[in-house]
Amino acid sequence: MKIILLFFMVASLLFGFDYDEVLLKTQATIFPKIMLLDKKLDQKLVDGKIIYGIIYTDEDYQTALEIKEFIDAKYNGTFGAYPYKVNFIRCTNLSKATAATAIYVLNSCRDIVELADIAREKGIISFAYDVNNLQEGLLFSLNIERSTIFYLNKKELYTKKVDFVDPVLQMVRFVDKEKG
């Protein structure tokens, strides 16, 4: 029994984080719609397109690829009236020079605070797979409990570079960094 348990622990370390497929698909469906509710979205476009960066590690490349394929099948090249492109960005490669309208951070990234700082400085929307990463400075997440719950990092909302329409603010649960 101990050997089997050890095997599963080692396998999970080797193959990355275990993602909930339903949650991934829900986030991949809803996060692009949330981007469209940013009043300052036009200022974040890159060459007239939404650039949606999926932030990943090598262990999560397959998950990132599956998310992109799902998004492409669901949205067929446009988020609302805007053409989009999904880019894969390694956790260690995100910088202020990275072209992005929004980022979606997968769970195996370790330097969440640094990624959140870059997103804040660039004035782009940051989404997290795990709601707990909002306490590290990312802006938005959602979880499926009894219903779908939207979470917004209260402190990061007021960066002045991201400005959501009022109905978004009425449907979210705010997360306070200090309440860790």
Side-chain angles (χ1 to χ4, degrees):
M1 187 64 168
K2 289 181 182 179
I3 293 173
I4 293 172
L5 182 61
L6 181 63
F7 171 75
F8 283 115
M9 288 174 49
V10 170
S12 68
L13 290 174
L14 291 175
F15 298 110
F17 185 79
D18 187 28
Y19 290 96
D20 179 333
E21 186 174 335
V22 173
L23 182 58
L24 280 173
K25 286 183 177 180
T26 301
Q27 290 177 341
T29 299
I30 294 176
F31 287 165
K33 293 177 182 180
I34 291 171
M35 267 189 274
L36 297 175
L37 298 174
D38 181 0
K39 294 180 200 174
K40 297 180 179 181
L41 181 61
D42 288 335
Q43 298 170 14
K44 296 172 181 67
L45 299 178
V46 178
D47 297 326
K49 289 183 182 176
I50 291 174
I51 304 297
Y52 190 49
I54 299 177
I55 311 297
Y56 74 100
T57 62
D58 289 339
E59 297 87 31
D60 283 338
Y61 178 75
Q62 188 61 39
T63 301
L65 187 59
E66 290 170 11
I67 293 167
K68 180 188 183 315
E69 290 170 356
F70 181 81
I71 289 172
D72 288 342
K74 176 94 176 138
Y75 289 101
N76 197 28
T78 61
F79 293 155
Y82 299 96
Y84 74 84
K85 181 178 180 188
V86 176
N87 286 344
F88 299 131
I89 305 166
R90 291 179 193 266
C91 295
T92 56
N93 291 349
L94 182 67
S95 72
K96 291 182 222 171
T98 303
T101 305
I103 59 170
Y104 173 55
V105 180
L106 292 175
N107 223 38
S108 61
C109 293
R110 303 287 179 249
D111 296 324
I112 303 295
V113 172
E114 183 179 333
L115 297 172
D117 287 345
I118 292 169
R120 185 180 319 103
E121 286 179 39
K122 289 180 64 62
I124 61 175
I125 304 164
S126 58
F127 298 103
Y129 171 80
D130 186 348
V131 69
N132 293 320
N133 287 334
L134 297 186
Q135 299 209 358
E136 303 298 324
L138 295 176
L139 182 61
F140 211 99
S141 187
L142 70 85
N143 202 0
I144 301 172
E145 296 170 11
R146 286 185 217 145
S147 61
T148 302
I149 308 295
F150 298 93
Y151 292 94
L152 189 63
N153 183 332
K154 187 176 183 178
K155 179 183 174 214
E156 299 306 319
L157 176 63
Y158 300 105
T159 62
K160 303 208 182 350
K161 294 181 182 178
V162 176
D163 187 16
F164 288 110
V165 296
D166 291 339
V168 171
L169 304 179
Q170 295 169 357
M171 64 184 213
V172 299
R173 283 190 191 166
F174 289 101
V175 173
D176 239 335
K177 187 173 184 176
E178 289 79 30
K179 290 185 181 178

